[in-house]
Coordinates of all heavy atoms in Angstrom, one line a residue:
Chain A
G34 N 13.4 18.0 -28.9 CA 12.2 18.4 -29.5 C 11.0 17.5 -29.3 O 9.9 17.9 -29.5
G35 N 11.3 16.3 -28.8 CA 10.2 15.3 -28.6 C 9.5 15.5 -27.2 O 9.9 16.4 -26.5
I36 N 8.6 14.6 -27.0 CA 7.9 14.6 -25.7 C 8.4 13.5 -24.8 O 8.4 12.3 -25.3 CB 6.3 14.5 -25.9 CG1 5.8 15.6 -26.8 CG2 5.6 14.5 -24.6 CD1 4.4 15.5 -27.2
S37 N 8.8 13.8 -23.6 CA 9.2 12.8 -22.7 C 8.0 12.5 -21.7 O 7.4 13.5 -21.2 CB 10.4 13.3 -21.9 OG 11.5 13.6 -22.7
Q55 N 13.6 16.6 -9.8 CA 14.6 16.5 -10.9 C 16.0 16.4 -10.3 O 16.3 17.3 -9.4 CB 14.5 17.7 -11.8 CG 15.4 17.7 -13.0 CD 15.3 19.0 -13.8 OE1 15.5 20.1 -13.2 NE2 15.1 19.0 -15.1
I66 N 7.8 20.2 -10.0 CA 6.4 20.5 -10.1 C 5.6 19.6 -9.2 O 6.1 18.5 -9.0 CB 6.0 20.5 -11.6 CG1 4.5 20.9 -11.8 CG2 6.1 19.0 -12.1 CD1 4.1 21.0 -13.3
K75 N -1.7 20.0 -14.3 CA -1.0 21.2 -13.9 C 0.2 21.4 -14.8 O 0.9 20.5 -15.1 CB -0.5 21.2 -12.4 CG 0.2 22.4 -12.0 CD 0.5 22.4 -10.5 CE 1.2 23.7 -10.0 NZ 1.5 23.6 -8.6
K76 N 0.3 22.7 -15.3 CA 1.3 22.9 -16.3 C 2.2 24.1 -15.8 O 1.7 25.1 -15.4 CB 0.7 23.3 -17.6 CG 1.6 23.5 -18.8 CD 0.8 23.8 -20.1 CE 1.8 24.0 -21.2 NZ 1.1 24.2 -22.5
E77 N 3.5 23.9 -16.0 CA 4.5 24.9 -15.7 C 5.5 24.9 -16.8 O 6.4 24.1 -16.8 CB 5.1 24.8 -14.3 CG 4.2 25.0 -13.1 CD 4.8 24.9 -11.8 OE1 6.1 24.6 -11.7 OE2 4.1 25.0 -10.8
G78 N 5.4 25.9 -17.7 CA 6.3 25.9 -18.8 C 6.2 24.7 -19.7 O 5.1 24.4 -20.1
R79 N 7.3 24.0 -19.9 CA 7.2 22.8 -20.7 C 6.9 21.6 -19.9 O 6.8 20.5 -20.5 CB 8.6 22.6 -21.4 CG 9.0 23.7 -22.3 CD 10.3 23.5 -23.0 NE 11.5 23.5 -22.1 CZ 12.1 22.4 -21.7 NH1 11.8 21.2 -22.2 NH2 13.1 22.5 -20.9
F80 N 6.7 21.7 -18.6 CA 6.4 20.5 -17.8 C 4.9 20.5 -17.4 O 4.4 21.5 -16.9 CB 7.3 20.6 -16.5 CG 8.8 20.6 -16.8 CD1 9.4 21.8 -17.0 CD2 9.5 19.4 -16.9 CE1 10.8 21.8 -17.2 CE2 10.8 19.4 -17.1 CZ 11.5 20.6 -17.3
T81 N 4.3 19.3 -17.6 CA 2.9 19.1 -17.2 C 2.8 17.9 -16.4 O 3.3 16.8 -16.8 CB 2.1 19.0 -18.5 OG1 2.2 20.3 -19.3 CG2 0.6 18.8 -18.2
I82 N 2.0 18.0 -15.3 CA 1.6 16.7 -14.6 C 0.1 16.4 -15.0 O -0.7 17.3 -14.9 CB 1.6 16.9 -13.1 CG1 3.0 17.2 -12.6 CG2 1.2 15.6 -12.4 CD1 3.1 17.4 -11.1
L93 N 4.3 12.7 -15.8 CA 5.0 13.9 -16.1 C 5.3 13.9 -17.6 O 5.8 13.0 -18.1 CB 6.4 14.0 -15.3 CG 7.3 15.2 -15.7 CD1 6.7 16.5 -15.1 CD2 8.7 14.9 -15.1
H94 N 4.9 15.0 -18.2 CA 5.2 15.2 -19.6 C 6.1 16.4 -19.8 O 5.9 17.5 -19.2 CB 3.9 15.6 -20.4 CG 2.9 14.4 -20.5 ND1 2.3 13.9 -19.4 CD2 2.4 13.8 -21.5 CE1 1.5 12.9 -19.8 NE2 1.6 12.8 -21.1
I95 N 7.2 16.2 -20.5 CA 8.1 17.3 -20.8 C 8.0 17.5 -22.4 O 8.4 16.7 -23.2 CB 9.6 16.9 -20.5 CG1 9.6 16.5 -19.0 CG2 10.5 18.1 -20.7 CD1 11.0 16.0 -18.6
M96 N 7.4 18.7 -22.7 CA 7.3 19.0 -24.1 C 8.5 19.7 -24.6 O 9.3 20.2 -23.8 CB 6.1 20.1 -24.2 CG 4.8 19.7 -23.5 SD 4.2 18.1 -24.0 CE 3.5 18.7 -25.6
D97 N 8.8 19.5 -25.9 CA 9.9 20.1 -26.6 C 11.2 19.8 -25.7 O 11.9 20.7 -25.3 CB 9.7 21.6 -26.7 CG 10.8 22.3 -27.5 OD1 11.5 21.6 -28.4 OD2 11.1 23.5 -27.3
S98 N 11.4 18.5 -25.5 CA 12.5 18.1 -24.6 C 13.9 18.6 -25.1 O 14.1 18.6 -26.4 CB 12.6 16.6 -24.5 OG 11.4 16.1 -24.0
Q99 N 14.7 19.1 -24.2 CA 16.0 19.6 -24.5 C 17.1 18.8 -23.9 O 16.9 18.2 -22.8 CB 16.0 21.1 -24.1 CG 15.0 22.0 -24.7 CD 15.2 22.1 -26.2 OE1 16.3 22.4 -26.7 NE2 14.1 21.9 -27.0
P100 N 18.3 18.9 -24.5 CA 19.4 18.2 -23.8 C 19.6 18.5 -22.4 O 20.0 17.7 -21.6 CB 20.6 18.6 -24.7 CG 20.0 18.8 -26.1 CD 18.7 19.4 -25.8
G101 N 19.3 19.8 -22.0 CA 19.5 20.2 -20.6 C 18.5 19.6 -19.7 O 18.6 19.7 -18.4
D102 N 17.5 18.9 -20.2 CA 16.5 18.2 -19.4 C 17.0 16.8 -19.0 O 16.4 16.1 -18.2 CB 15.2 18.0 -20.2 CG 14.5 19.3 -20.5 OD1 14.7 20.3 -19.8 OD2 13.8 19.3 -21.6
S103 N 18.1 16.4 -19.6 CA 18.7 15.1 -19.2 C 19.0 15.1 -17.8 O 19.8 15.9 -17.2 CB 20.0 14.8 -20.1 OG 19.7 14.8 -21.4
Y106 N 14.6 11.7 -12.9 CA 13.3 12.2 -12.4 C 12.7 11.3 -11.4 O 12.6 10.1 -11.7 CB 12.4 12.5 -13.5 CG 12.8 13.6 -14.4 CD1 13.8 13.4 -15.4 CD2 12.4 14.9 -14.3 CE1 14.3 14.4 -16.2 CE2 12.9 16.0 -15.1 CZ 13.8 15.7 -16.0 OH 14.3 16.7 -16.8
I126 N 18.2 13.1 -23.3 CA 17.7 13.7 -24.5 C 18.8 13.8 -25.6 O 19.9 14.4 -25.3 CB 17.2 15.1 -24.2 CG1 16.2 15.1 -23.1 CG2 16.6 15.8 -25.5 CD1 15.0 14.3 -23.3

Side-chain angles (χ1 to χ4, degrees):
Chain A
I36 302 173
S37 303
Q55 180 188 54
I66 185 172
K75 182 173 181 180
K76 185 175 180 179
E77 289 184 3
R79 296 184 294 108
F80 300 89
T81 300
I82 299 179
L93 176 70
H94 290 64
I95 305 175
M96 312 300 287
D97 186 27
S98 299
Q99 298 297 311
D102 297 329
S103 297
Y106 293 80
I126 307 300

